[in-house]
Amino acid sequence: MPRRITTDEGRGALASVREAQAVGEAPARTDLATSVRYLLQLLGEKAPGGSVEVRVPPFGAVQVIEGPRHTRGTPPNVVETDAATWIALATGEERWADAASSGRILASGIRADLSDVLPVRP
């Protein structure tokens, strides 16, 4: 089981990512990874379950949403996106529909729409 990211660690990493983005710089990889994992952790707490796998490569993945659980192979409901899009969705800076229509979310399965559980707002 991965180590739990504390609220202070998560918020600190998010602040660092936002500061870097505000000045047009790439955020530090460690801050980006911590931010992504923290927001995935919050999503897992908000919408526990195992019917949808949310992937943000290469930083992390979490299974969420109550319903049928898969145990082997590729899950029937998968959401995959990049780190910047995930942070924007999870913090409410971007709407699910906008990111999906622009092709920045790859979603498959009937339960793969996370608009009801986003943002997680740390």
Side-chain angles (χ1 to χ4, degrees):
M1 180 179 223
R3 179 184 70 83
R4 180 167 169 66
I5 298 169
T6 67
T7 300
D8 287 344
E9 289 173 314
R11 287 183 178 176
L14 279 169
S16 295
V17 167
R18 286 184 175 131
E19 288 171 16
Q21 291 171 333
V23 296
E25 296 178 1
R29 185 172 170 83
T30 54
D31 290 331
L32 195 57
T34 299
S35 296
V36 166
R37 291 176 185 138
Y38 175 62
L39 293 168
L40 287 171
Q41 174 182 296
L42 292 179
L43 178 63
E45 292 168 358
K46 182 176 184 178
S51 68
V52 179
E53 185 165 292
V54 180
R55 301 173 180 167
V56 185
F59 301 115
V62 66
Q63 290 186 9
V64 297
I65 312 292
E66 289 183 14
R69 184 174 200 89
H70 76 280
T71 56
R72 296 182 63 186
T74 301
N77 301 285
V78 177
V79 172
E80 187 168 318
T81 191
D82 63 275
T85 301
W86 170 244
I87 291 170
L89 289 167
T91 59
E93 295 170 7
E94 184 164 13
R95 291 184 31 224
W96 175 269
D98 295 336
S101 67
S102 69
R104 289 179 292 122
I105 297 172
L106 299 174
S108 63
I110 60 171
R111 297 174 182 263
D113 182 339
L114 301 179
S115 55
D116 289 344
V117 294
L118 291 175
V120 294
R121 288 210 177 99

